[in-house]
Amino acid sequence: MAQPEVLPAPPTRRRWAGLGRKGRLGGIVARIPAKVRTKLLVAFLAIAGLLLLVSALGLQVLGQSNARVVRLGVLQRRSAQYQSIEAHAGDLQQTLAVRAGTAGLTAYAGGQKLQGGTQVHLADLDVGFTLSQVALAFDQPLFGFVPPRADERVLRRIHADYRSIVRALARIERLDSSGVRGGRAQRYVNAARSAGDDLDAQAQKLAFRARAQTDALVKVNRGAYTSSRNLSIWVGAGSVLLALALGFALARSLIGPIQRIVARLAAIASGDFSRHVEVVNRDELGDLGARVNQMNDELQRLYRELESASRHKSEFLANMSHELRTPLNAILGFSQVLEKRLFGELNEKQGEYVEDIRSSGNHLLSLINDVLDLSKVEAGQIELQVAPFSLREAVERGVVMVRERASKNGVALAAEVEPEVHVVTGDERRIRQILFNLLSNAIKFTPAGGRIDVSAARVDGEIQLAVADTGPGIAPDDLDRIFQEFQQTEVGAKQHEGTGLGLALSKRLVELHGGRIWVESEVGVGSRFVFTLPVTLQVAV
């Protein structure tokens, strides 16, 4: 026995083999010694792990962004508070500078005589109110946040400046109330203004630092957002690509072998046992591929044995039929001689016996001919003698051949051939043989008083020949079975005539002509056997 070839992968899939270094990833997955469900579970867990990784990364990025937002909120509150301190410190500095140079406070400018206590009192109230706003602005319990250590040092210095201003103003107010001239108050005014300048500078320092930190955090947040976005995109894209690669590798390791196995099974079903399917998987699919190859080899062996047995059977039947014909022809010849009384008269009983011998011999010869023809058809040894002939004449000759038997059984026989059906192309002898088989069956099963109609017509581009009878009909379960070898209906088996080869042989001969045959029947009404011939004959091989 020739060694079957290995079935390659389907060519339509080769263009996908480039992924994963020409399909190596799929091959690696296929060669992993694990069950398919284990591979599927691992792939699912791997993809789930990638999803969890992306989710964890997203949560981390979201948490960092949220922390930066919180820090930014604190910085904004701090910046707003320090800007408030800066604004009030500027107001205080402006108040001290402006009030010191007005006409009502000439004592602060040069120690000249005061113009009135009311003006001095109002100036002191104005400075005191501005100073109270400064004190309220840097009151830490009202901040709503905890200043960092660097800001704490600046705030302590602002407190010190504030206290210096408060002490200087207190001394100025006492001098104003005692009517002391401005020369002595100038020193305290200068001290208040110096402390106010320092307080304003420290407030500006706080505000500037807060704004700088806020701007820096905004910049960092913007950069972090861009980095996080890019990282998320790359990680997400990488996860998707890894999941696709894993899914493709797993699918390739499963679908490819399944496709090759299906293709091999289809080839086996069509009778091609010349190849093996290649499945490198070390899982259930690998076992399935091995079983398919084993089945292929076993079917190939059985198929060859069946071919050999069928050939031997056909040869045996052909040889036996030929061997049986020789003595049977002698029996028929001598029975005909006796029937004609060529060598003397026979009594009535002897004549009946001779007639039985001739009838049985003819029946046996018909069976032998059917067996021989059927064996030749199965062996492909029948060649049709295709030529144009008159179908009308063939039908008329067939009817003439069985008319005497039909009359003897009390069965009416009629034939109708439409005018457009005249010359056809085919093997006239085989078509007459088909028609004779159908007519013989119809006569055999049609009771006395029945009728048989033979018709030929052109229908849908085909020539249809039909033999209809008024016999017992055929059961629906037997309509297909009667065209098989050695199969008969229950009625036919009871008559003990024939072996069930006539319809099988007729079916094979019709198919050799490129036609088809079927039966339409109703139990208790009758049957109608129909076979077709193509107008332009294409002989079936």
Side-chain angles (χ1 to χ4, degrees), residues 317-335:
L317 290 176
N319 292 333
M320 287 301 298
S321 298
H322 178 72
E323 295 296 329
L324 289 173
R325 275 181 173 179
T326 300
L328 189 57
N329 286 331
I331 292 173
L332 289 175
F334 286 122
S335 64

Side-chain angles (χ1 to χ4, degrees), residues 245 314 319 364 392:
S314 298
N319 292 333
L364 182 58
R392 180 184 298 276

Side-chain angles (χ1 to χ4, degrees), residues 303-322:
Y303 186 75
R304 290 182 176 180
E305 290 181 357
L306 287 175
E307 280 185 333
S308 178
S310 177
R311 185 174 62 257
H312 291 325
K313 181 200 72 172
S314 298
E315 292 174 355
F316 171 77
L317 290 176
N319 292 333
M320 287 301 298
S321 298
H322 178 72

Side-chain angles (χ1 to χ4, degrees), residues 211-417:
R211 283 194 299 269
Q213 291 177 351
T214 303
D215 294 340
L217 183 60
V218 169
K219 184 177 180 180
V220 170
N221 194 27
R222 187 180 296 112
Y225 166 75
T226 303
S227 300
S228 300
R229 180 195 62 191
N230 294 338
L231 180 62
S232 299
I233 291 174
W234 283 108
V235 171
S239 299
V240 170
L241 291 177
L242 287 175
L244 288 176
L246 183 60
F248 178 83
L250 185 62
R252 181 177 178 81
S253 69
L254 298 179
I255 296 176
I258 291 175
Q259 289 176 333
R260 292 195 292 273
I261 290 173
V262 170
R264 183 84 286 270
L265 289 175
I268 291 174
S270 64
D272 180 11
F273 307 105
S274 61
R275 296 182 176 182
H276 274 173
V277 61
E278 180 184 10
V279 180
V280 299
N281 294 48
R282 299 175 64 184
D283 49 27
E284 293 90 340
L285 292 177
D287 294 339
L288 180 60
R291 296 294 183 272
V292 169
N293 292 333
Q294 183 180 0
M295 179 187 69
N296 177 85
D297 295 341
E298 184 65 17
L299 287 176
Q300 185 180 32
R301 183 185 65 80
L302 293 175
Y303 186 75
R304 290 182 176 180
E305 290 181 357
L306 287 175
E307 280 185 333
S308 178
S310 177
R311 185 174 62 257
H312 291 325
K313 181 200 72 172
S314 298
E315 292 174 355
F316 171 77
L317 290 176
N319 292 333
M320 287 301 298
S321 298
H322 178 72
E323 295 296 329
L324 289 173
R325 275 181 173 179
T326 300
L328 189 57
N329 286 331
I331 292 173
L332 289 175
F334 286 122
S335 64
Q336 290 175 358
V337 169
L338 292 174
E339 256 189 335
K340 292 180 180 180
R341 274 77 170 176
L342 296 179
F343 297 99
E345 292 293 329
L346 301 176
N347 58 36
E348 182 178 355
K349 200 66 175 177
Q350 291 172 337
E352 292 179 359
Y353 287 158
V354 170
E355 184 179 357
D356 289 340
I357 291 172
R358 183 183 60 80
S359 176
S360 298
N362 284 328
H363 179 63
L364 182 58
L365 180 60
S366 176
L367 294 178
I368 292 174
N369 288 333
D370 287 345
V371 170
L372 181 60
D373 288 340
L374 187 61
S375 63
K376 286 183 177 180
V377 170
E378 290 180 346
Q381 297 176 355
I382 283 189
E383 294 184 2
L384 299 180
Q385 303 299 319
V386 178
F389 68 95
S390 173
L391 185 61
R392 180 184 298 276
E393 293 180 3
V395 171
E396 290 175 352
R397 290 178 183 176
V399 171
V400 169
M401 290 176 62
V402 297
R403 187 179 297 279
E404 181 180 356
R405 182 182 172 190
S407 299
K408 185 177 178 181
N409 292 345
V411 177
L413 183 60
E416 180 181 0
V417 179

Side-chain angles (χ1 to χ4, degrees), residues 75-87 89 134 137-140 143 145-159 161 198-214:
L75 278 175
Q76 286 175 340
R77 289 197 300 271
R78 187 192 307 170
S79 179
Q81 189 66 39
Y82 292 166
Q83 286 175 2
S84 176
I85 296 174
E86 180 186 16
V134 174
F138 66 74
D139 189 5
Q140 292 188 24
F143 282 1
F145 60 88
V146 178
R149 291 184 178 181
D151 292 353
E152 284 281 359
R153 290 192 294 269
V154 177
L155 287 172
R156 284 196 295 269
R157 186 166 176 176
I158 290 176
H159 274 280
D161 291 336
D198 187 69
L199 190 148
D200 181 63
Q202 297 302 319
Q204 290 180 2
K205 182 178 180 181
L206 281 178
F208 177 79
R209 182 186 297 171
R211 283 194 299 269
Q213 291 177 351
T214 303

